[in-house]
């Protein structure tokens, strides 16, 4: 299962208008403002206005917020009283089901305890968690290529079947085939048949596309770029985060310069795209340093 979007947001989508105009503190309680300032100082991070009772927590140069902190009553009943809350992907509150944002909340009556919770749970995103965030969008775009080819083929086929149903030129041509040496009387029927075969050929080609992609995560470490590579199946029904984390506990980092030339070429092409864009045969850009790359035929995925 992936990570629910209610507990994080891309840093590029943060609304800094409240902060720029100094309205963040004016629109939040004293407790919320004090809490976020203490978190900033303790974790050496930054915060951004989220709503009247909470603020996103983030680090510069990351892709996504670490979670958020605030002061409010986050119980379903609304009768638990205001508390200092930390919301993070790393929290599992078994009082609630895993599909709810409350599942990821740790609450405390005292701010000092809440700050310790923030230190414990507001951790940076791992490469594998970046897959969990982006997998659904990647899978959608990969499958859309096949869906579009299938729709194109069915569209061309429907044109001909409708013409047969209406006893048009196709119907007449088929009758002519039964009684002649097969010479088309109607050029548009030949064209329809050709378009159907071309569309079917394109559809069959999409079915040959590789399902296993390389997810490549790039980081800066000790003055050099390093890369981690993971095999990801675009045809999986869903991404099992916990299972994948177990399989890839020990991440193998390599120098980015040592990546396969094919991978470097495709990453270079994808780097010019907006996040969330896909190029068939090349790959998908999940974030500024995260890419799903289509492997070359016959090459090892990692």
């Amino acid at each position: 299962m992936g990570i629910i979007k209610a507990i994080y947001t891309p840093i590029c989508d943060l609304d800094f208008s409240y902060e720029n105009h100094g309205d963040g503190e004016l629109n939040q309680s004293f407790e919320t403002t004090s809490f976020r300032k203490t978190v900033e100082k303790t974790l050496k991070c930054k915060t951004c206005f989220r709503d009247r009772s909470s603020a996103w927590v983030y680090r510069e140069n990351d892709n996504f917020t670490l979670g958020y902190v605030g002061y409010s009553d986050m119980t379903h009943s609304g009768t638990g009283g205001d508390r200092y809350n930390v919301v993070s992907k790393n929290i599992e509150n078994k009082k609630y089901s895993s599909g709810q944002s409350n599942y990821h909340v740790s609450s405390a009556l005292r701010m000092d305890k809440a700050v310790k919770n923030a230190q414990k749970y507001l951790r940076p995103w791992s490469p594998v968690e970046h897959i969990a965030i982006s997998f659904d969008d990647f899978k959608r775009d990969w499958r859309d290529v096949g869906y579009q080819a299938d729709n194109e083929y069915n569209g061309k086929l429907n044109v001909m079947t409708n013409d047969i149903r209406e006893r048009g030129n196709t119907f007449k041509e088929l009758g002519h085939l039964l009684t002649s040496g097969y010479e088309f009387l109607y050029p548009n029927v030949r064209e329809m048949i050709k378009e159907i075969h071309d569309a079917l050929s394109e559809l069959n080609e999409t079915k040959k596309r590789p399902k296993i992609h390389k997810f490549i995560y790039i980081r800066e470490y000790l003055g050099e770029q390093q890369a981690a590579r993971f095999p990801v199946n675009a045809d999986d029904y869903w991404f099992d985060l916990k299972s994948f984390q177990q399989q890839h506990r020990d991440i193998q980092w390599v120098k980015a310069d040592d990546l396969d030339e094919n991978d470097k070429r495709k990453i270079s092409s994808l780097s010019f795209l907006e996040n969330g864009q896909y190029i068939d045969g090349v790959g998908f850009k999940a974030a500024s340093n995260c890419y799903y790359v289509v492997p070359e035929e016959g090459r090892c995925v990692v």
Side-chain angles (χ1 to χ4, degrees), residues 105-298:
V105 177
S106 179
S107 300
L109 286 171
R110 302 195 326 269
M111 190 171 70
D112 59 342
K113 171 60 177 175
V115 171
K116 290 181 180 179
N117 289 337
Q119 289 178 295
K120 179 179 180 180
Y121 294 118
L122 294 178
R123 303 194 298 270
W125 296 84
S126 71
V128 172
E129 287 169 335
H130 276 78
I131 301 177
I133 290 175
S134 58
F135 180 75
D136 285 345
D137 290 339
F138 158 64
K139 177 181 69 175
R140 178 202 62 218
D141 286 358
W142 182 82
R143 290 185 173 180
D144 276 351
V145 174
Y147 292 151
Q148 290 170 11
D150 187 58
N151 289 338
E152 184 71 15
Y153 167 68
N154 284 313
K156 300 298 183 185
L157 190 61
N158 286 338
V159 171
M160 177 168 277
T161 55
N162 287 337
D163 193 56
I164 293 173
R165 188 179 298 112
E166 295 170 4
R167 300 189 181 184
N169 290 346
T170 310
F171 180 83
K172 298 171 185 176
E173 193 74 58
L174 291 174
H176 173 69
L177 291 176
L178 297 175
T179 58
S180 71
Y182 187 68
E183 181 179 349
F184 279 96
L185 295 177
Y186 306 100
N188 68 312
V189 175
R190 173 186 286 275
E191 185 62 27
M192 278 192 287
I193 293 174
K194 181 178 182 303
E195 288 181 350
I196 288 174
H197 280 277
D198 289 346
L200 180 58
S201 176
E202 180 66 24
L203 176 60
N204 288 333
E205 285 299 314
T206 66
K207 294 179 180 179
K208 297 177 184 177
R209 295 179 304 148
K211 297 178 181 179
I212 305 298
H213 288 60
K214 295 180 186 180
F215 179 84
I216 300 178
Y217 179 95
I218 300 173
R219 71 176 184 180
E220 290 282 343
Y221 185 74
L222 298 179
E224 70 175 10
Q225 284 197 326
Q226 295 184 336
R229 297 162 295 179
F230 307 88
V232 177
N233 190 340
D235 204 35
D236 280 346
Y237 182 72
W238 62 298
F239 181 75
D240 190 337
L241 174 58
K242 289 190 175 180
S243 174
F244 205 89
Q245 286 175 323
Q246 289 290 328
Q247 296 171 25
H248 299 277
R249 281 184 173 180
D250 299 319
I251 297 177
Q252 301 298 315
W253 295 94
V254 300
K255 291 182 179 180
D257 287 340
D258 293 337
L259 287 172
D260 185 276
E261 289 301 319
N262 167 68
D263 294 340
K264 289 193 284 188
R265 175 173 54 82
K266 291 183 176 180
I267 288 173
S268 177
S269 298
L270 294 170
S271 66
F272 291 100
L273 302 179
E274 296 290 331
N275 293 348
Q277 289 189 317
Y278 175 83
I279 300 178
D280 191 37
V282 180
F284 178 85
K285 181 179 180 182
S288 60
N289 64 331
C290 305
Y291 305 91
Y292 293 82
V293 173
V294 178
E296 290 292 288
E297 187 175 354

